[in-house]
Amino acid sequence: MARTTTRMTTALAIGGVLAAVAVGVVAATTIWDPGADDTANGSVPVERLSALDGSWRAVNSVGSPKEVVGEVRLRFEDGRVVVETGCNAGRGTVEVDDSHLVAGPMMSTRMGCEAPLMEQEAWLFAMMQARPKVELSGPYLYVSWTDTAGEDRWLGLEQESATPTP
């Protein structure tokens, strides 16, 4: 009788473990959508251009082609973008399509600047033409793209206050 009880206890224990694993698998497949766009940093894809209205200042250039020199900003308003490169400024139409910026041709001032600023201007304008992906995380905007050499790049920007503080 003791042997039957031990076998019964073992069978119930194994059954319990299998049931727990099955519940875990069902829960995981219900929650996780393999077609979803994972964002490890907690950011969310931008669905509407109006979510970007205002001014965004570059604060993290670790993933950009070069470290940002001076002030770099993106300003969005009424379907248009202004790219302040630290040297010249480019302006053009822009929209959001499937969380990617789609910029029209950029009109730019043509002031001569030091070489690092001219290089920065070139990669910023190239970024805008590369259909970069845009994601928001609180007051931060992440812009990611693949450059012409096939390298994955990103730039982090912080939303600036609408009213300047003294």
Side-chain angles (χ1 to χ4, degrees):
M1 182 78 172
R3 191 173 209 157
T4 304
T5 305
T6 304
R7 284 185 186 166
M8 183 79 91
T9 304
T10 303
L12 288 174
I14 291 172
V17 168
L18 290 175
V21 168
V23 168
V25 168
V26 169
T29 56
T30 302
I31 295 169
W32 180 69
D33 177 4
D37 188 19
D38 283 337
T39 51
N41 61 4
S43 60
V44 294
V46 173
E47 300 298 330
R48 310 177 314 285
L49 185 60
S50 62
L52 301 177
D53 281 352
S55 181
W56 301 83
R57 182 178 53 87
V59 293
N60 190 336
S61 59
V62 171
S64 65
K66 299 241 177 168
E67 185 175 337
V68 167
V69 180
E71 294 288 320
V72 167
R73 282 185 181 77
L74 299 180
R75 288 188 289 130
F76 297 91
E77 184 177 3
D78 297 328
R80 301 191 60 76
V81 64
V82 175
V83 181
E84 296 176 7
T85 68
C87 178
N88 292 294
R91 293 169 173 72
T93 60
V94 68
E95 60 186 48
V96 171
D97 179 29
D98 193 28
S99 301
H100 289 81
L101 286 179
V102 181
M106 302 291 289
M107 302 294 289
S108 173
T109 56
R110 294 287 182 190
M111 187 170 67
C113 302
E114 296 175 19
L117 289 173
M118 295 302 287
E119 289 173 23
Q120 179 168 282
E121 180 175 296
W123 69 255
L124 283 164
F125 288 160
M127 172 191 79
M128 292 303 296
Q129 295 305 307
R131 290 183 49 96
K133 184 174 186 168
V134 285
E135 297 176 313
L136 290 170
S137 181
Y140 298 100
L141 171 64
Y142 299 100
V143 181
S144 58
W145 72 102
T146 301
D147 67 16
T148 55
E151 295 289 325
D152 291 333
R153 303 293 186 181
W154 68 273
L155 181 65
L157 301 106
E158 182 176 24
Q159 190 166 35
E160 295 187 299
S161 169
T163 52
T165 53

